Amino acid sequence: MTAVPVDPPLRRALPSLLLVLTVFGPISMDLYLPALPALTRELGATTSVAQLTVTACLIGLAAGQLVAGPLSDRFGRSRVLFIGILGYIATSMLCALSPSVEVLIVARLAQGLAGGAGIVIANAAGRDVFSGGRLIRFYGRLTVVGGFAAIVGPLLGGVLTTFTDWRGLFVSLAAAGVGILIATLAVFRETLPVDQRTTGGFSHTVRDFRALVADRVFLGAVLNQGFLYAALFAYLAGATFVLQDIYGLSPQWYAAAFGLNSAGFMVFGYLAGRSAERWSIGGTLAVGIVVAAVGALALLLAGFTPLPLWAVVAALFTLASGVAMTSPPATTLALQGYPQLAGTASSLLGMARFGFGGVAAPFVGIAGALSILPLGIVTTTTTLLAAASCLLIARARRTADESAPALAPLP
């Protein structure tokens, strides 16, 4: 299937909108992280229970993509996207009005379900309209912006906490959702023609999932991203307590430390996209895993031997930069062979990224707010598992012509 023809004005505006659509899901996850200790005290919750608000959003983002992707393959991108944005606005307001941590956890789950639509539609619509080198470059930009949003969220949240409390942060998310809705109504046009949509019901969707999982290249890329994003989201959930409670940073200085990581994520994510296009998809992926592993091992060392603040910040920077480097090549590996199932394939990739993160995040707080060791253990374990997933990809590449003939040759 070739790329869908798009009118010139839409073609110019669409990439920017798709980049924006990747933002509100990750921003939802971590905008309020600088206020998480204050939220914990106000609602009378323990550290581990408060972190379930992060986990609930991650699980919602994973499940939301798993639902929205196949639906967009069947009914088109625009209808699913509009419903998702409206749901996001409503659930953000529900979070702001939550009277207890239990209600907030449920509201965060619903917010994630709605927010997942934007992420999966951005990936799928990009696959609809781009191909070849342009597709790799698009995924590189998507990685930079989506990952940047996940990292910069606490920075923006830290700034906003000087003007409002955690409830006001969720109101800000609802207002951002309204802005995204207006932009989507003005710019987005359907990218998947009716004659290229899938047919059939739930059983057909299950068959599509089985076909994708049976492809070792696809499965290896998805598992790789799932484990690495588990490390990233464990870091996002745990760093607020490590930097504020252990090292005594204010919310603003904590946000500044995250700002440094934002720059690293952007730069290395961009360079990885260019490297995957011009040098090697597999090589770029391997280098990213090594970089992430170095950061994770440094965090593990900090759990056994007290390290200065600068060393811990450097370890977090290295971990985040390594994850950013893996995303463009892994996304290309997962999606390039399935133009007819872009939404379904994107949903499995997104489910792994956010679902694995949702499982890993609670373990960071298992020893309370004054220990960095769980963060080091979780990030080291998940990066090692990500490396093992790369071995699955390497084996599949040796028999690509027989086991996955639909995939384009890999550089």
Side-chain angles (χ1 to χ4, degrees):
M1 184 177 73
T2 58
V4 177
V6 181
D7 294 336
L10 177 58
R11 180 176 291 277
R12 289 192 295 270
L14 182 61
S16 297
L17 176 63
L18 295 181
L19 294 178
V20 171
L21 290 175
T22 66
V23 168
F24 67 88
I27 283 286
S28 304
M29 200 280 293
D30 59 13
L31 180 74
Y32 80 118
L33 287 181
L36 189 56
L39 178 154
T40 303
R41 291 190 295 269
E42 180 179 329
L43 296 181
T46 64
T47 298
S48 58
V49 172
Q51 284 181 327
L52 287 177
T53 62
V54 180
T55 303
C57 187
L58 286 171
I59 293 174
L61 286 169
Q65 292 181 73
L66 202 60
V67 173
L71 287 178
S72 74
D73 282 341
R74 183 178 181 186
F75 299 108
R77 314 297 186 206
S78 59
R79 187 183 309 178
V80 176
L81 178 59
F82 291 139
I83 293 173
I85 297 174
L86 288 172
Y88 176 82
I89 296 169
T91 52
S92 295
M93 288 303 302
L94 180 60
C95 290
L97 298 173
S98 296
S100 66
V101 70
E102 291 80 12
V103 173
L104 180 60
I105 290 171
V106 174
R108 289 281 285 166
L109 176 65
Q111 186 187 40
L113 287 169
I119 301 172
V120 73
I121 295 300
N123 278 279
R127 185 63 186 86
D128 291 338
V129 301
F130 300 121
S131 60
R134 294 190 66 196
L135 181 64
I136 297 176
R137 289 194 298 274
F138 171 74
Y139 284 142
R141 298 188 185 103
L142 210 63
T143 297
V144 171
V145 174
F148 174 72
I151 303 297
V152 83
L155 176 63
L156 179 59
V159 173
L160 290 176
T161 54
T162 62
F163 305 100
T164 185
D165 60 5
W166 64 271
R167 296 183 188 275
L169 296 181
F170 285 113
V171 173
S172 299
L173 289 175
V178 172
I180 292 172
L181 177 62
I182 294 171
T184 301
L185 290 170
V187 172
F188 193 85
R189 301 295 181 271
E190 182 57 59
T191 61
L192 185 64
V194 175
D195 61 351
Q196 294 177 359
R197 298 176 187 176
T198 60
T199 57
F202 178 75
S203 61
H204 185 86
T205 300
V206 171
R207 286 196 297 271
D208 290 341
F209 282 143
R210 288 177 177 171
L212 290 168
V213 173
D215 181 347
R216 287 183 293 171
V217 171
F218 176 86
L219 180 61
V222 167
L223 289 176
N224 172 269
Q225 288 297 280
F227 288 126
L228 284 174
Y229 271 69
L232 179 67
F233 287 126
Y235 143 55
L236 291 174
T240 180
F241 294 100
V242 169
L243 295 179
Q244 291 188 77
D245 292 342
I246 298 178
Y247 287 93
L249 293 185
S250 67
Q252 289 71 38
W253 278 110
Y254 159 76
F258 266 63
L260 175 64
N261 291 338
S262 301
F265 203 103
M266 290 185 66
V267 170
F268 285 96
Y270 172 79
L271 292 177
R274 304 297 287 179
S275 174
E277 179 186 0
R278 297 183 178 182
W279 172 50
S280 168
I281 292 177
T284 302
L285 180 62
V287 171
I289 293 173
V290 171
V291 172
V294 170
L297 289 170
L299 291 174
L300 182 62
L301 177 62
F304 291 103
T305 302
L307 296 180
L309 174 62
W310 69 265
V312 173
V313 172
L316 295 173
F317 176 91
T318 304
L319 174 65
S321 298
V323 174
M325 292 177 67
T326 67
S327 195
T331 302
T332 302
L333 283 170
L335 301 188
Q336 69 175 349
Y338 296 97
Q340 76 282 10
L341 295 174
T344 303
S346 296
S347 72
L348 284 173
L349 181 62
M351 182 275 296
R353 283 172 170 163
F354 290 94
F356 283 32
V359 171
F363 290 99
V364 173
I366 198 168
L370 297 178
S371 175
I372 194 175
L373 182 59
L375 177 60
I377 293 174
V378 170
T379 54
T380 299
T381 300
T382 53
T383 51
L384 290 176
L385 290 171
S389 300
C390 260
L391 296 177
L392 179 64
I393 297 173
R395 291 177 181 175
R397 290 180 63 180
R398 289 198 295 265
T399 57
D401 290 339
E402 293 81 11
S403 63
L407 289 176
L410 302 177

